[in-house]
Amino acid sequence: MSFRESPRPSDEEEAFYLQCRAAYLAVFRSSLTNIASKQQLCRVLQQAGRNPSHATLNKYWTPRTSKLNFDDFCEILKCEKKTEETELMRAFKKMDVNGDGYITHSELEKALTTRGEKMTAEEVNAIFLLADINKDGKLDYAEINHLVIGQNGIMSTPAVSCVIRKIKAVGGIILTASHNPGGPNGDFGIKYNISSGGPAPEGITNKIFEISKGLQEYHICPELKVDLSKIGKQTFEVDTFKPFTVEIVDSVEAYAEMLRGIFDFVALKELLSGASHINVRLDAMHGVVGPYVKKIVCEELGSPANSAVNCVPQEDFGGHHPDPNLTYAADLVNTMKGGEYDFGAAFDGDGDRNMVLGKHGFFVNPSDSVAVIAANITSIPYFQKTGVKGLARSMPTSGALDNVAKTLQMQLYETPTGWKFFGNLMDAGKLSLCGEESFGTGSDHIREKDGLWAVLAWLSILATRKQSVEEIMKDHWQKFGRNFFTRYDYEEVDSDAANKMIKDLETAMFDPSFVGKKFSSGDKTYEVAVADNFAYTDPVDGSVSKNQGLRIIFSDGSRIIFRLSGTGSAGATIRLYIDSYEKDPQKIYQDPQVRTMRCNSSQLDPVRERLENEVIRWENKHPWEQQQSLEYFHM
């Protein structure tokens, strides 16, 4: 007896089999799983690049069919021609009757209910809702198979939001240690932005997480090599029904183009390079915003090249911490103290936060920064066109913005911490300008905080008012009063003790007799007006966010805020925010140390004692609070 060796499959046959298996495993967990319905057959054929009609499906799934296996599927693919992109584009263009690159709902309905295998209006609606991922009411063929990346793989967070909105992308993925750090050293995280350009809300991230728990495998293309340095489109053949296009874009130019439509670049160029120009010093701290600063501030607005420093992005940020505060940006602070520069600013690693300094190192508190921009918002042409729809701040941020809103009769929103809450208000047309105490400021031009935008906003105010940063701040305090503000972070506190402290504090605060109590500090008395655990009801979607922080609000607007976060094995963090309002013109210029508040209430003494006893690493409080030039009070 002899055995004949089976012929080895050709390269073409092997490639076909691999394509069949890839399509099958995109739908089923295993090639041993049977196709159990006509709908499943349709899905797996589509994964293989076919576009089956009802007639085609009925041909292979008859009334007598109960299942099909992987071998059956391979035989079907041999008979069914792969749908080429040119064929799909021809079909797309037939429905795109006005040739604008989009298919509207009415165009799709007319095509699908009047031609070929006619569909019902309900079926058309279902298709449209499924395909219109970015919910702009239009279907764009290009967005289905198109990946856009910033040149050299680097984009600032504001630029990502800008580009998502510009190209009407379904969303964007940002790889950054600034968000949700993971990996062995906590140095890598992933952030997802939705089609509005803003951070994905919890409903979406929770759904992504749930889906991720059911994933069994994923496919990669190790041989796909993209030249990230080359501007333009690169097309690759992958195991799908259409080519995969990667477009490398100049995100710096896209972002600059957006800013040209917001600010008066002629006035800014005169301010930075005209006959009576001011001298500025901008520190990109080796983060991604460096090329944007060079392009816009130096090349386009004419500020000398040495105005911008540390502008080459580096993976380790030059060995420094790219946090724009008085400690980590100490080089900028010391340079500004010399008096050579009239305006200074520093940016964080991904370009969305900023710190502003005046001549001789005059520090602008982040809470004051957004308030000053709000009070001078008509200095920015963008808002002259759009008007001011509303202002917003995160709950822990000082009440400086509230004072502006009240005086200028603008709508103010107080939200939980998180830019997504601002984005919701912006998408609903309720918000124009917002900020948070952690050096973040932004507007509705995108859906992220924007460091360079905030700096240009300040420069626009300087150009309009012809005053120094310090003069503008002092005039602001004279008109609206001053909020002496600080924040302390008590890190790695024992979780059980931290929770007990918060409960003890709640017990004291929620006693009916607590409201109305008075506490004295020097010649000033503070009377408790509100004591609560902050809850926020979103005016757009009605969602409720509870337990956002304990607030003690005094009758003059001064506040003490306690927030507890992180109760895992590494311990908890207690954040303490203190905000003292002063409207006496004789006191608003005092040294911040003079504004020290000492609360001697016996009811709060046990809380204070517990807080201080449970602090494990006091030295790790936020570095900007270690500066004696900052406002603070001590409990």
Side-chain angles (χ1 to χ4, degrees), residues 1-44:
M1 181 182 292
S2 63
F3 293 92
R4 180 177 297 176
E5 185 177 347
S6 299
R8 184 179 182 277
S10 66
D11 290 343
E12 184 177 345
E13 290 173 330
E14 188 170 355
F16 172 75
Y17 172 79
L18 289 175
Q19 290 173 2
C20 292
R21 189 170 186 276
Y24 208 82
L25 292 178
V27 177
F28 303 107
R29 294 185 178 183
S30 166
S31 59
L32 298 177
T33 304
N34 289 324
I35 300 171
S37 69
K38 186 189 296 185
Q39 289 75 19
Q40 288 183 348
L41 175 61
C42 180
R43 284 177 59 200
V44 74

Side-chain angles (χ1 to χ4, degrees), residues 142-289:
E143 72 187 8
I144 298 173
N145 64 334
H146 195 175
L147 178 65
V148 176
I149 304 175
Q151 189 175 24
N152 298 316
I154 296 178
M155 295 177 75
S156 72
T157 293
V160 171
S161 185
C162 164
V163 171
I164 288 174
R165 294 170 65 82
K166 180 180 179 180
I167 67 174
K168 296 182 172 60
V170 236
I173 298 174
I174 307 173
L175 308 180
T176 166
S178 295
H179 299 277
N180 307 316
N185 301 311
D187 58 355
F188 179 82
I190 298 175
K191 177 183 178 184
Y192 179 66
N193 282 22
I194 57 176
S195 59
S196 69
E202 286 185 10
I204 290 179
T205 55
N206 288 341
K207 189 172 182 179
I208 291 173
F209 177 61
E210 288 302 317
I211 292 173
S212 73
K213 292 190 292 185
L215 296 178
Q216 299 296 315
E217 60 183 335
Y218 60 89
H219 300 267
I220 61 175
C221 296
E223 63 280 348
L224 193 153
K225 306 296 182 184
V226 179
D227 185 352
L228 296 176
S229 66
K230 184 179 178 182
I231 299 290
K233 295 182 179 180
Q234 301 169 51
T235 303
F236 304 89
E237 288 292 337
V238 295
D239 291 335
T240 63
F241 65 89
K242 53 189 175 296
F244 179 64
T245 301
V246 178
E247 182 177 2
I248 309 302
V249 298
D250 183 350
S251 65
V252 177
E253 174 54 32
Y255 178 78
E257 180 185 5
M258 175 188 69
L259 293 185
R260 294 184 197 111
I262 295 173
F263 299 103
D264 183 346
F265 270 36
V266 174
L268 290 175
K269 188 169 185 177
E270 180 65 24
L271 176 74
L272 296 176
S273 58
S276 302
H277 69 86
I278 66 170
N279 295 321
V280 303
R281 183 77 162 186
L282 307 181
D283 191 343
M285 302 185 78
H286 290 299
V288 297
V289 78

